[in-house]
Amino acid sequence: MESNTEAIKVNIQINNIPFIFILDTGASNSVISEYFYKINLANIEIVKTNKIFKLYNGDSILPLGYIDCLMSFNNSCKKFRIFVIRQAYGPPLLGRDFFTQFNLNISELNSISLNKVQYLINKFGTVFDDTLGTFNKGYISIKLKSEKMEPKFFRPRPLPFAMKEKVELELNRLLKLGVIEPVNYSPWGTPIVPVLKKTTPYEFVETLKLH
């Protein structure tokens, strides 16, 4: 059965080198693949072990060995043991031994993650608010295929009476935001195409696009 639950990623340091591990509360021990070890931690000696891991399907895995390191998390540094799985390429995993070693529970870890998210929201609030942003990093120009192109003006398309009020509200909103502005005359003209976008089972929002 597939799960839509997003993996919990934890930022830790091993011997002062930052890494991102995935939390696996179903595993008793923390593990890394042989590939991860060779790429990132080959300077730490692997100690042979007779420990055997049992999988959910009943299969057994004999690890290549384990490494002892210094792991830092949340301003705390502990001696930590990580097992290396031979001929594996999966992501590094933190097992329940991580909670034991750092005296944590799952709610504390979620709280730390939420605090980081809130910090980003507070620091970059204008990025996450519902107002319209403004591009101020340069100028944008639109060039026609030919300078001799003749202006085109198309008459408005018939608008269903049931949509008229919502379209007018959206136009007024865009007008207040400065996205559009009224003109008395233009040689160019194209009809708006209201597109109903379903945001909840009971409400619709119109997105106005010019074609």
Side-chain angles (χ1 to χ4, degrees):
M1 179 181 296
E2 294 184 358
S3 174
N4 293 326
T5 303
E6 185 176 353
I8 300 178
K9 298 179 180 179
V10 183
N11 293 289
I12 55 95
Q13 288 188 355
I14 296 177
N15 293 353
N16 296 321
I17 302 175
F19 295 103
I20 297 177
F21 275 55
I22 293 178
L23 186 66
D24 184 0
T25 56
S28 59
N29 296 96
S30 300
V31 299
I32 58 175
S33 66
E34 182 179 0
Y35 176 79
F36 183 91
Y37 167 79
K38 289 180 178 179
I39 295 296
N40 300 287
L41 302 171
N43 60 315
I44 305 177
E45 182 182 358
I46 293 180
V47 180
K48 299 295 182 180
T49 179
N50 293 324
K51 185 178 180 66
I52 297 177
F53 290 103
K54 291 287 187 180
L55 303 181
Y56 289 112
N57 61 4
D59 292 344
S60 300
I61 293 180
L62 178 64
L64 192 63
Y66 64 82
I67 60 173
D68 287 328
C69 61
L70 289 177
M71 180 177 289
S72 300
F73 172 75
N74 197 25
N75 298 322
S76 180
C77 184
K78 304 281 187 179
K79 289 183 178 180
F80 200 75
R81 177 165 295 179
I82 304 175
F83 288 86
V84 182
I85 305 301
R86 67 176 73 244
Q87 298 179 350
Y89 295 89
L93 303 177
L94 291 175
R96 294 190 300 273
D97 54 346
F98 171 73
F99 289 91
T100 302
Q101 192 74 350
F102 285 90
N103 298 317
L104 294 172
N105 56 55
I106 188 66
S107 61
E108 288 178 302
L109 196 64
N110 285 335
S111 175
I112 293 171
S113 300
L114 289 175
N115 288 338
K116 290 182 178 179
V117 171
Q118 191 59 50
Y119 167 77
L120 293 175
I121 293 175
N122 293 338
K123 185 175 182 179
F124 305 102
T126 55
V127 176
F128 299 101
D129 63 24
D130 57 358
T131 59
L132 187 68
T134 303
F135 177 78
N136 57 5
K137 303 301 181 182
Y139 294 94
I140 298 175
S141 61
I142 300 176
K143 294 183 179 180
L144 301 177
K145 292 182 178 179
S146 172
E147 295 181 357
K148 298 181 180 180
M149 291 185 65
E150 295 183 1
K152 300 291 184 179
F153 191 94
F154 299 92
R155 65 181 181 85
R157 296 176 181 175
L159 189 66
F161 181 78
M163 296 177 61
K164 185 176 180 181
E165 182 179 358
K166 292 183 178 181
V167 169
E168 289 180 349
L169 289 173
E170 178 66 7
L171 288 172
N172 289 331
R173 186 184 74 87
L174 295 176
L175 185 63
K176 291 179 180 179
L177 290 174
V179 177
I180 60 176
E181 60 182 53
V183 294
N184 294 324
Y185 169 77
S186 173
W188 296 89
T190 183
I192 62 173
V193 180
V195 179
L196 295 175
K197 297 186 70 176
K198 189 175 182 180
T199 56
T200 71
Y202 307 102
E203 296 180 3
F204 294 88
V205 177
E206 282 75 25
T207 299
L208 303 180
K209 298 181 179 179
L210 295 179
H211 296 279

